[in-house]
Amino acid sequence: MPLRLSDEDVGRQILGIFMRYRVPAGGTLRRNNFFDVRDADFQRGLNFAITSKWIKQHLRDRYTYQLTEIGHAAGWKPEPKIDANAKPAELVSSEPLQPEAVQPEPVTMAPESPDPLAADPITTAPASDDPNATDPWKSPA
């Protein structure tokens, strides 16, 4: 069974989506932007974020959410200090914004034969040295 996140964790996840889209204070997002948040947890996190005054719900459209100044400050992380003597290559962060998905190894349906031109054992009858052997694929005459 998956671990149940606390209301604050889900609220911070919602706040993180505002930060991912770089929404300024007073900016809005619609419900379809929050598909990363599990549906069962979304309402709990939304209620926590509203009571924490991180976001406001639109008065006439319940699927539109507005980021407040408090929410922007809570979600904002200060940038690291830049050294004036640092080289340009050191100023650029090499970490991706989101981790890349690991691609699984390709699945083959059948093992590859060592010789692609080898004869198929099912369609070709093996050569027999016995002259009295009958071919199973040949109808008796």
Side-chain angles (χ1 to χ4, degrees):
M1 183 170 182
L3 180 67
R4 182 177 170 178
L5 297 174
S6 70
D7 295 350
E8 182 179 1
D9 290 338
V10 181
R12 290 202 177 273
Q13 190 177 8
I14 291 171
L15 193 59
I17 292 172
F18 275 99
M19 296 299 116
R20 182 186 319 155
Y21 286 107
R22 298 180 183 185
V23 177
T28 60
L29 285 178
R30 300 228 355 121
R31 171 65 177 106
N32 60 342
N33 295 112
F34 298 98
F35 280 130
D36 292 345
V37 182
R38 192 169 159 248
D39 279 340
D41 298 332
F42 181 75
Q43 192 61 48
R44 290 187 304 114
L46 182 67
N47 290 340
F48 183 84
I50 289 173
T51 57
S52 300
K53 298 183 181 174
W54 292 344
I55 62 175
K56 291 192 282 187
Q57 196 168 14
H58 194 273
L59 293 175
R60 295 189 196 105
D61 184 7
R62 67 181 188 166
Y63 298 112
T64 300
Y65 312 104
Q66 182 180 15
L67 182 65
T68 63
E69 291 283 340
I70 297 170
H72 189 266
W76 181 76
K77 295 178 184 172
E79 295 291 325
K81 290 187 176 184
I82 297 175
D83 184 15
N85 299 329
K87 296 177 184 175
E90 295 172 356
L91 297 177
V92 178
S93 175
S94 61
E95 297 179 22
L97 295 176
Q98 293 181 352
E100 295 183 22
V102 177
Q103 297 294 326
E105 293 294 322
V107 178
T108 57
M109 298 305 289
E112 295 181 21
S113 65
D115 183 12
L117 299 177
D120 187 10
I122 295 174
T123 58
T124 58
S128 175
D129 294 336
D130 184 15
N132 296 331
T134 59
D135 188 5
W137 304 107
K138 195 179 236 183
S139 62

